[in-house]
Amino acid sequence: MRLQHWLTRAVLGFGMTMLIGVGGMQAQSSATIHFDAASKVFRIDAAGTTYAFGINDAGQLQSLYWGEQIGKDDHLSAAHRMAGVASFDSAETTTPNEYAGWGGGLFVEPALKASFADGNRDVVLTYVSHSIRGNELTVRMKDVSLALTVDLHYTVNPGTGIVGRSAVITNDTNTPITIEQAAAATWNLPHGTDYSLRYLTGRWAGEWNLQKQNILPGMTVLESRRGSTGHQNNPWFAIERGEQADEESGDVWFGALAWSGSWRITVEQDQLQQIRITGGYNSFDFSYKLLPGKQLQTPIFYGGYSHHGIGEASRMLHRFELSSILPQAPMPKPRPVVYNSWEATEFAVTEAGQESLAEKAASIGVERFVMDDGWFGQRKDDHAGLGDWYVNQQKFPNGLKPLIDKVHSLGMDFGLWVEPEMVNPDSDLYRKHPDWVLNFTGRPRSEARNQLVLNLARKDVREYVFSFLDDLLSHNQIAFLKWDYNRNWSEPGWPAVAPDEQKAVYIEYVNNLYGILRELRAKHPQVEIESCSGGGGRVDLGILGLTDEVWPSDNTDPFDRLRIQDGFTYAYTPGVMMAWVTDSPNWVNERTTSVAYRFLSSMQGSLGVGANLDKWQPADFATAKEMIAAYKQVRETVQHGSLYRLISPRDGSEASVTESVALDRSQAVLFTFLHSSQMGYPFPRVFLRGLDPQQRYRISAIHGAMAKDTPVEASGSYWMAHGVDVAMRGDMQAAAFRFDSSSNTNPSR
Ligand code: DGJ
């Protein structure tokens, strides 16, 4: 077993056989879910990870183990409800529950809290039954006296061992139940005080900051109360154990919530040093009236474990997203090179202006031309037009067709910006339907960017939004929608329904958003969609199940982007991370950078161009053409390969380096950045990772130069152990290299 286990790990470490479908690899890993009737222990094994819980003597589900895979024959002792502590901490509190109702004497974070019509607010869940079907386990629990049942769903991804958990709450009583808190899952870690938590914070144009803090007694709350995912926190966490954990070694538990509405993840170290992570709907301002016979389904909370540091944890998430989450999973197409008009023209789009940009974009190898905001209604600026989705006659006298035809004639496909969930008060839609927005009757309606939020929970609003998008896609040859969402909620009232049903807006809104996206995709399967929310305000595993890419930030400064992109990749794959080359000096920091620097920064993700090409010089076009051609040779590796963050741009680092390795290890791409040389020190030697030690790789420069004595070709072990010196000095410098093995037969590389 140890040998077999080591083999699994070795394979994991090199990223060889793990992928299911992505990049042409076949699935070779499998998962097992087993119930031992004697000990009443459930055990889920996949990809070197074991997750186990049992039914304890009180009938509760109790976590037993989550971590590196243990031997097949290793016996996990039956679950035993833990003792309480004195008269103050009850057994409910001290027992690591898989999913606890607030009831009995529970003082830690509950997964479920409910009020019954008779005033009872006590929920104590115990095991009823279970079923195992392939990679899915469902365990039914029920309150000890009332007909409130909870089905806990577990799915396991064979390639990564990532477990997806969610709950379905059913009211089988004959009176309504008010659900006041509903989590998807609680994850428990072994007792200890040497854990640290990583999480992502941000704001508009400053997203994806990686934070790290020790987990101390008490609770850390990561959340959004904004109605959508939000820039402020992202629904992702990672927990490392011990001081030794680093990028490529140590135990890491991680999780991500698939929900694009208000959410909450709590990380708790309780009074007995037990670590619990609970996540699901945000309980703030939450209440869901569950009628008799009805069900409430929670989002899915995914969790995984890595024995090889946070770098491997990220790669597992990347593989999981590409192979199982994205709409095109398990084989997402590479993202095309995009041109987007926003920074060039803002709202001043016209047929002639867009055609001129399109010609120039096509000349450098762009594959998709996207017209951003400004093409519809009376949209001169951000004060008017949202909601009126007809083509602006002054700007496009003959509709969109001439521009779309022109874009097609240039060999590109056409994409269009929309912001379907919003309305400007200065719009025909709002004048006709002022009741369609989120609002409290008779109260002020707070505007942000001069717009209000349409209440998508309403049936009529949902129908309107679906039908205008359906029309747009049915009557125009559109290959791509950039779906924007430029504010968060205020006054989240829904006056059309009874007061005790209004808070359901937090759930129904998002479910209708998902429903619209799902139906549009089914009816227009050729259309790809980007999730954008003033940059990275709506990025999560829920929206990623229905969109093909995301816009991580409105901040397009290529230097800031290094940190933004670094933070992004902790949770999300570079395969969905759009990154544009824009103008210099950049509007964010007035920083000046070369065209090559801007390209190399953007080439770490899905490359786009957002510069005003009408102002470019011939030399800029020449560089762009070369860079785009080079990118097309490596994009499969960058977008779908294994990412190694070799030197982080965080914490004032003077240098940063990333490496992407193709899944079959036939190619690697290295991006190196020097922020400013100091004291004449050389650039740190770069030690590659993840190559096949036996294969020989030829190095070539995409841009910049390696040290003169660098061999033209060497083994994978040479590049990993000896490393490579990059010849780079100065300020805001960048270089990139590719390493191709002799077995690289893929013509696109
Ligand atoms: C915010 C987006 O993030 C930008 O890229 C751009 O599309 C503007 N909205 C348009 O209003």
Side-chain angles (χ1 to χ4, degrees):
M1 181 58 211
R2 289 314 295 179
L3 176 65
Q4 187 194 339
H5 173 69
W6 181 87
L7 282 172
T8 316
R9 279 293 167 202
V11 161
L12 254 175
F14 294 124
M16 262 290 283
T17 58
M18 294 304 303
L19 250 279
I20 307 176
V22 174
M25 303 283 292
Q26 293 303 309
Q28 291 191 14
S29 18
S30 63
T32 58
I33 301 182
H34 178 73
F35 178 66
D36 183 77
S39 59
K40 298 189 186 165
V41 170
F42 295 95
R43 181 171 158 168
I44 303 173
D45 288 277
T49 299
T50 300
Y51 184 90
F53 60 96
I55 306 165
N56 70 20
D57 31 353
Q60 294 159 328
L61 293 187
Q62 183 176 332
S63 305
L64 291 174
Y65 179 76
W66 185 23
E68 194 175 8
Q69 187 164 22
I70 51 175
K72 188 159 63 64
D73 302 322
D74 285 337
H75 180 70
L76 281 159
S77 324
H80 289 295
R81 188 159 130 110
M82 293 173 68
V85 176
S87 53
F88 288 96
D89 283 325
S90 62
E92 278 81 22
T93 288
T94 57
T95 300
N97 280 292
E98 283 283 291
Y99 197 90
W102 184 73
L106 188 80
F107 299 116
V108 292
E109 186 71 8
L112 177 64
K113 185 172 183 322
S115 285
F116 296 81
D118 63 358
N120 170 44
R121 305 195 308 281
D122 186 59
V123 177
V124 177
L125 299 170
T126 55
Y127 170 86
V128 177
S129 61
H130 73 269
S131 66
I132 297 172
R133 279 190 202 91
N135 293 338
E136 283 182 36
L137 161 68
T138 302
V139 185
R140 171 154 296 182
M141 302 181 83
K142 185 189 149 310
D143 177 67
V144 283
S145 64
L146 294 163
L148 172 70
T149 61
V150 180
D151 287 335
L152 300 184
H153 292 291
Y154 296 78
T155 56
V156 58
N157 177 253
T160 58
I162 289 177
V163 174
R165 295 184 53 193
S166 60
V168 176
I169 302 152
T170 307
N171 179 1
D172 283 326
T173 73
N174 46 27
T175 48
I177 300 174
T178 304
I179 307 297
E180 294 169 349
Q181 185 160 342
T186 296
W187 308 93
N188 295 279
L189 299 185
H191 291 84
T193 55
D194 59 345
Y195 291 99
S196 51
L197 169 69
R198 301 216 197 207
Y199 58 102
L200 291 160
T201 61
R203 59 169 172 81
W204 174 76
E207 299 88 338
W208 309 108
N209 299 292
L210 185 71
Q211 309 294 343
K212 185 172 181 176
Q213 66 186 36
N214 292 337
I215 300 185
L216 297 173
M219 191 156 86
T220 300
V221 180
L222 310 176
E223 66 170 352
S224 162
R225 298 180 175 191
R226 297 163 178 266
S228 72
T229 324
H231 301 75
Q232 187 181 338
N233 286 156
N234 189 266
W236 167 88
F237 75 88
I239 292 177
E240 291 163 318
R241 180 167 58 197
E243 294 301 314
Q244 276 72 44
D246 63 19
E247 186 71 17
E248 299 298 338
S249 65
D251 293 315
V252 181
W253 293 265
F254 56 93
L257 194 62
W259 185 241
S260 314
S262 290
W263 58 273
R264 185 167 184 256
I265 295 175
T266 55
V267 181
E268 207 177 357
Q269 187 198 119
D270 71 16
Q271 59 286 2
L272 298 182
Q273 298 171 344
Q274 167 76 46
I275 309 293
R276 293 178 166 83
I277 307 104
T278 300
Y281 294 128
N282 197 327
S283 53
F284 177 81
D285 197 36
F286 184 86
S287 155
Y288 191 89
K289 186 174 170 187
L290 194 60
L291 295 172
K294 296 286 181 201
Q295 297 190 320
L296 173 63
Q297 168 134 28
T298 72
I300 303 176
F301 198 1
Y302 293 99
Y305 163 80
S306 154
H307 187 56
H308 295 277
I310 196 145
E312 180 61 16
S314 301
R315 288 188 289 277
M316 287 165 80
L317 270 170
H318 300 171
R319 291 196 293 264
F320 176 60
E321 289 152 6
L322 292 164
S323 68
S324 300
I325 294 284
L326 289 170
Q328 293 181 20
M331 302 281 271
K333 285 185 271 180
R335 303 283 79 230
V337 178
V338 158
Y339 179 82
N340 179 290
S341 64
W342 174 244
E343 289 202 17
T345 65
E346 295 208 341
F347 302 94
V349 293
T350 60
E351 189 178 305
Q354 293 293 297
E355 288 187 2
S356 156
L357 289 169
E359 278 166 8
K360 295 178 178 90
S363 78
I364 53 174
V366 164
E367 296 158 314
R368 170 170 292 166
F369 183 86
V370 183
M371 177 160 67
D372 209 281
D373 200 347
W375 59 270
F376 54 90
Q378 295 308 306
R379 189 77 166 162
K380 292 186 206 62
D381 51 32
D382 61 17
H383 285 79
L386 281 178
D388 298 341
W389 297 104
Y390 59 85
V391 180
N392 182 298
Q393 283 287 310
Q394 286 81 47
K395 298 178 182 183
F396 298 92
N398 303 306
L400 295 179
K401 193 167 185 309
L403 173 61
I404 296 178
D405 288 349
K406 171 81 180 184
V407 166
H408 289 163
S409 75
L410 291 165
M412 301 180 289
D413 68 25
F414 180 76
L416 194 62
W417 180 96
V418 287
E419 191 173 3
E421 300 153 79
M422 300 287 167
V423 65
N424 288 117
D426 184 2
S427 67
D428 296 342
L429 184 74
Y430 188 73
R431 283 183 280 273
K432 196 163 164 205
H433 296 291
D435 52 331
W436 276 14
V437 298
L438 293 175
N439 74 96
F440 290 122
T441 306
R443 306 281 307 168
R445 300 174 177 197
S446 302
E447 292 175 23
R449 208 196 192 204
N450 312 301
Q451 62 197 53
L452 296 167
V453 183
L454 288 172
N455 182 356
L456 219 55
R458 290 175 60 117
K459 202 163 164 279
D460 44 11
V461 174
R462 185 202 193 285
E463 273 166 19
Y464 169 77
V465 169
F466 177 82
S467 70
F468 93 72
L469 288 167
D470 182 32
D471 274 4
L472 198 61
L473 298 177
S474 302
H475 297 115
N476 299 283
Q477 282 192 56
I478 293 172
F480 170 81
L481 287 179
K482 174 175 170 179
W483 185 302
D484 210 343
Y485 179 87
N486 278 305
R487 62 161 292 181
N488 293 129
W489 292 11
S490 58
E491 301 97 17
W494 182 2
V497 301
D500 63 351
E501 289 172 10
Q502 288 198 15
K503 289 180 182 169
V505 70
Y506 286 107
I507 296 177
E508 305 306 343
Y509 181 110
V510 181
N511 283 339
N512 280 349
L513 167 67
Y514 289 166
I516 292 170
L517 285 165
R518 207 173 288 121
E519 282 169 38
L520 279 177
R521 295 197 75 103
K523 198 157 171 203
H524 305 278
Q526 80 288 359
V527 177
E528 296 187 336
I529 303 176
E530 174 181 289
S531 172
C532 171
S533 173
R538 191 154 63 188
V539 182
D540 58 78
L541 293 189
I543 206 77
L544 275 177
L546 292 157
T547 55
D548 304 273
E549 61 185 48
V550 299
W551 181 230
S553 181
D554 276 350
N555 185 337
T556 54
D557 177 312
F559 173 62
D560 282 5
R561 269 284 176 147
L562 298 180
R563 253 176 54 201
I564 288 173
Q565 294 174 178
D566 173 77
F568 182 94
T569 64
Y570 278 82
Y572 303 105
T573 164
V576 299
M577 182 177 77
M578 292 309 295
W580 304 341
V581 172
T582 56
D583 287 317
S584 176
N586 184 279
W587 63 273
V588 180
N589 298 309
E590 293 297 322
R591 182 176 286 116
T592 302
T593 50
S594 67
V595 178
Y597 185 97
R598 283 175 264 156
F599 264 97
L600 295 184
S601 170
S602 297
M603 282 161 67
Q604 292 183 303
S606 302
L607 178 63
V609 177
N612 188 347
L613 300 181
D614 289 334
K615 295 195 177 147
W616 271 18
Q617 301 304 309
D620 301 331
F621 283 103
T623 308
K625 203 169 171 179
E626 270 172 33
M627 289 292 188
I628 290 175
Y631 178 72
K632 288 177 182 171
Q633 302 285 305
V634 298
R635 74 171 141 192
E636 175 79 34
T637 301
V638 171
Q639 294 182 18
H640 298 160
S642 301
L643 175 72
Y644 294 85
R645 294 177 292 251
L646 299 184
I647 302 179
S648 162
R650 272 176 289 117
D651 306 324
S653 168
E654 276 310 320
S656 63
V657 179
T658 63
E659 179 201 0
S660 303
V661 182
L663 294 175
D664 62 4
R665 295 189 290 171
S666 66
Q667 184 183 68
V669 192
L670 197 65
F671 292 100
T672 62
F673 299 88
L674 176 60
H675 313 152
S676 68
S677 283
Q678 289 181 28
M679 314 290 177
Y681 289 121
F683 194 83
R685 182 172 289 182
V686 178
F687 301 94
L688 277 78
R689 299 190 73 101
L691 301 178
D692 178 346
Q694 315 298 336
Q695 287 214 43
R696 296 193 67 76
Y697 293 85
R698 218 182 149 76
I699 185 172
S700 54
I702 292 173
H703 182 79
M706 44 276 186
K708 283 206 179 63
D709 55 357
T710 307
V712 175
E713 189 187 296
S715 66
S717 53
Y718 177 94
W719 298 120
M720 293 192 287
H722 176 280
V724 59
D725 284 323
V726 180
M728 197 156 54
R729 279 175 187 223
D731 294 341
M732 292 297 143
Q733 297 296 310
F737 307 91
R738 50 186 280 193
F739 297 76
D740 292 282
S741 84
S742 35
S743 72
N744 183 355
T745 49
N746 186 337
S748 72
R749 291 186 199 143

